[in-house]
């Protein structure tokens, strides 16, 4: 009996030990290691689609920009968005981040001490919630970064692939200091492969123009590109010159006609394969080629164009982890030959390019750009969202339709336009060009980086490496809109009795001086104006004047009103009559000018305008109240609020206001 009792006791102790061991194992397994991130880390920099992270304290600073409300653009500070959403406060804490699809617009608002900004469009978004793990979901203990810049890491070692190693929540400050020191190292010794850099999403269009001009030499790119074989003319320079001098060249160029052999004399060419092996490109882009299939190009040039595409495909080393490439052929109308996800290696892509048949027709480039803008870069067509969108438009001669409007609309959607044109018009042909200087109207106007001019089809092979380097240099793929052509600017002008007729004319000159600094058109910056006293009057809306000169003339025609000063009511009126009708892809900027204290409240109307995405500048003269100017201005006040003692000193603020508008614009993402 005693023996049985002993055995039972031992068995009970054994079961107890087993149970305790299992419970300890469960607790150990359930312990979540949470990566720590800094305040300036943006969601776009982290590849993981869903993760839990810990934010430090102090992320409410205005320098950590946030775009959107509830759903945030991935260019936002993660921790700033978490505070804005109310998930954490300024002391920091754990958050759950989930990547979601891009939005057509993001509305700014003021919440929990943070003012988020509006953004017309972005290709990736995220939402933040309380940092509690979902049942059955495993979260990464290491965050993978897509940025090539050194990312501050807390509590972990810096590795060549720029990952943040997670640490338990009880990580000490000493661990953080060690990690920071590791980041300063300029050379890394690592056996792990370098991850593909995923740049911010940018849509880019490239066009190649043929003139006798020499293309601007691009800066040294950060990517290694293999050497590309050349297209050689068998008959040499003499035959090329004879071809350029052909009389049929001028008369038949860009004229729709059936393929009856009436094209200009074609050169006989042979192609040499690239002489070097593929290089490892640090390049990830979603690339669309718009190729010229018009009758004017002729069969032989169409074949040269296809060889050029094959050389580019080989140089890029197309693949799922790197560049993807689709092709659109345009003539009278554009059509997709194949999209981004059709071919995922260079060999299959080159074979498909060789099988493309010329469709003929006119050279309707504007129609092709509209097609790309609306249809090509869709998720269903293989657009990855995390890679820049690049469209390279090749033009033989000149387009047979207008490109300016289609190009601007594409840039407003984040598409950067590049023109690569071959054999531009000579003096006798220029009279046939529908839109003069079409390249300058289509591409970014700040430099020549986005256009390549090729004087002859025989020279096309020479620009392969140059083109590939530009396409893969993600730091330069941010052309799109500039601070001078991407806003709806509404002036709210004090016309009260204290201003006086003479000073009112000075005030209007100030408005004109600011306006003339911008590129003004229906698709660029638009200008509107409201004058107020006790009442309000719409002088002209955003859609009234479409040229700079028309706007300046309209400003001169504004008649002085005279009366009281109800600034709060004027802000409400300006929002209803101007900014509520603003285009979603425009930045809404209000510049209010007053010389006295308002008879009504300005704080409520100003806050409402801010919450609806209006960026407000206040300019006070003489008796204007400083507290009201600061309430009207968007935060930070010192960058959006100005005061002068005399009307004659207003001109001094013109460059500062322009500079601040551009500084703020350049700090936000451009897609």
């Amino acid at each position: 009996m005693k023996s049985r009792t002993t055995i039972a006791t031992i068995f009970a102790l054994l079961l107890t030990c087993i149970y305790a061991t299992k419970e300890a194992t469960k607790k150990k397994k359930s312990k979540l290691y949470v990566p720590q991130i800094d305040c300036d880390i943006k969601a776009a920099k982290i590849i993981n689609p869903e993760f839990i992270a810990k934010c430090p304290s102090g992320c409410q600073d205005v320098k950590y920009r946030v775009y959107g409300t509830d759903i945030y653009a991935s260019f936002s500070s993660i921790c700033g968005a978490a505070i804005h959403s109310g998930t954490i406060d300024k002391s920091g804490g754990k958050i759950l981040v989930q990547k979601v699809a891009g939005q057509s617009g993001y509305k700014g608002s003021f919440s929990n001490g943070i003012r988020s900004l509006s953004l017309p469009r972005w290709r990736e978004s995220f939402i933040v919630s309380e940092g509690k793990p979902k049942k059955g979901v495993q979260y990464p203990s290491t965050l993978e970064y897509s940025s090539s810049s050194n990312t501050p890491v807390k509590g972990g070692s810096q590795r060549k692939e720029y990952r943040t190693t997670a640490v338990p929540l009880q990580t000490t400050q000493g661990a953080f200091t060690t990690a920071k020191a590791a980041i300063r190292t300029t050379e890394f010794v690592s056996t792990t492969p370098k991850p593909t850099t995923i740049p911010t999403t940018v849509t880019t269009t490239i066009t190649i123009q043929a003139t006798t001009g020499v293309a601007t030499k691009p800066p040294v790119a950060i990517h290694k590109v293999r050497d590309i074989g050349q297209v050689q003319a068998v008959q040499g320079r003499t035959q090329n010159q004879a071809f350029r001098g052909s009389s049929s060249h001028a008369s038949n160029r860009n004229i729709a006609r059936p393929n009856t052999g009436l094209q200009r004399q074609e050169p006989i060419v042979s192609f040499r394969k690239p002489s070097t092996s593929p290089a490892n490109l640090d390049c990830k882009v979603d690339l669309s080629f718009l190729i010229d299939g018009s009758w004017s190009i002729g069969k032989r040039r169409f074949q040269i164009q296809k060889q050029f595409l094959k050389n580019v495909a080989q140089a890029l080393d197309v693949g799922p982890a790197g560049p993807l490439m689709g092709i659109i052929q345009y003539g009278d109308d554009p059509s997709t030959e194949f999209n981004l996800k059709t071919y995922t290696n260079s060999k299959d892509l080159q074979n498909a390019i060789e099988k493309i048949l010329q469709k003929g027709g006119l050279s309707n480039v504007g129609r092709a750009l509209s097609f790309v803008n609306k249809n090509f870069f869709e998720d269903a067509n293989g657009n990855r969202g995390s890679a820049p969108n690049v469209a390279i438009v090749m033009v033989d001669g000149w387009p047979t339709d207008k490109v300016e409007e289609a190009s601007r609309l594409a840039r407003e959607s984040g598409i950067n336009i590049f023109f690569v044109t071959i054999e531009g018009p000579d003096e006798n042909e220029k009279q046939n060009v529908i839109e003069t200087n079409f390249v300058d109207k289509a591409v970014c106007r700040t430099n020549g980086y986005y256009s390549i001019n090729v004087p002859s089809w025989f020279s096309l092979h020479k620009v392969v490496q140059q083109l590939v380097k530009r396409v893969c240099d993600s730091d330069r793929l941010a052309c799109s809109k500039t601070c001078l052509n991407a806003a709806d600017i509404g002036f709210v002008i004090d016309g009260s009795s204290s201003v006086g007729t003479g000073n009112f004319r000075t005030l209007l000159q100030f408005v004109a001086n600011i306006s003339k600094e911008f590129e003004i058109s229906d698709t660029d910056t638009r200008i509107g104006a409201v004058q107020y006293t006790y009442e309000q009057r719409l002088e002209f809306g955003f859609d009234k004047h479409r040229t700079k000169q028309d706007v300046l003339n309209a400003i001169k025609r504004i008649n002085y009103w005279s009366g009281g000063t109800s600034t709060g009511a004027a802000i409400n009126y300006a929002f209803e009559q101007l900014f509520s009708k603003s285009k979603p892809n425009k930045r809404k900027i209000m510049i209010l000018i007053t010389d006295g204290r308002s008879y009504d409240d300005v704080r409520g109307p100003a806050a409402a305008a801010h919450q609806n995405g209006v960026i407000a500048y206040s300019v006070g003269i003489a008796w204007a109240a400083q507290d009201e100017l600061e309430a009207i201005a968007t935060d930070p006040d010192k960058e959006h609020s100005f005061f002068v003692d005399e009307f004659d000193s207003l001109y001094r603020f013109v460059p500062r206001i322009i500079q601040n508008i551009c500084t703020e614009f350049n700090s936000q993402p451009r897609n």
Side-chain angles (χ1 to χ4, degrees), residues 65-258:
R65 301 219 176 237
V66 177
Y67 300 89
T69 302
D70 297 329
I71 299 179
Y72 302 94
S74 62
F75 199 79
S76 304
S77 159
I78 296 175
C79 296
I83 298 174
H84 183 271
S85 68
T87 304
I88 59 174
D89 57 25
K90 62 182 180 180
S91 62
K94 288 193 298 180
I95 58 172
L96 171 61
V97 179
Q98 295 171 279
K99 299 285 188 70
V100 296
Q103 306 292 305
S104 59
Y106 299 85
K107 181 179 289 188
S109 64
F110 185 81
S111 178
N112 300 308
I114 288 185
R115 184 175 301 286
S116 67
L117 303 177
S118 297
L119 189 66
R121 179 180 176 184
W122 198 244
R123 292 190 174 273
E124 186 182 48
S125 312
F126 70 98
I127 56 177
V128 288
S129 56
E130 190 176 354
K132 292 183 179 180
K134 298 177 183 177
K135 186 176 181 181
V137 178
Q138 287 189 339
Y139 295 95
S141 58
T142 297
L143 299 180
E144 187 173 0
Y145 285 81
S146 63
S147 174
S148 59
S149 60
N150 290 341
T151 305
V153 180
K154 293 187 178 182
S157 60
Q158 176 70 21
R159 300 169 61 188
K160 189 172 183 177
E161 60 267 48
Y162 309 108
R163 295 187 179 185
T164 301
T165 303
V167 297
L169 296 183
Q170 61 267 25
T171 301
T172 63
Q173 182 65 28
F176 172 73
T177 305
T178 303
K180 294 286 274 191
I183 290 171
R184 297 191 187 99
T185 305
T186 57
E187 295 182 6
F188 298 98
V189 179
S190 174
T191 58
T192 57
K194 184 178 180 180
T196 303
T197 299
I198 302 179
T200 346
T201 301
V202 179
T203 308
T204 308
T205 310
I206 302 183
T207 328
I208 304 180
Q209 179 180 13
T211 66
T212 56
V214 179
T216 303
K217 183 177 180 181
V220 179
I222 60 174
H223 311 284
K224 295 180 180 179
V225 184
R226 80 189 83 154
D227 190 18
I228 301 302
Q230 299 180 347
V231 180
Q232 295 182 314
V234 173
Q235 296 181 340
R237 182 177 179 183
T238 303
Q239 189 179 54
N240 183 22
Q241 291 174 339
F243 166 73
R244 288 291 291 164
S246 172
S247 60
S248 64
H249 171 56
S251 60
N252 294 330
R253 186 77 108 109
N254 279 333
I255 299 176
R257 54 189 182 274

Side-chain angles (χ1 to χ4, degrees), residues 593-611:
I593 311 149
T594 181
D595 80 329
R597 180 174 289 277
S598 176
Y599 295 157
D600 62 356
D601 175 62
V602 301
R603 289 166 177 77
H610 298 160
Q611 291 171 8

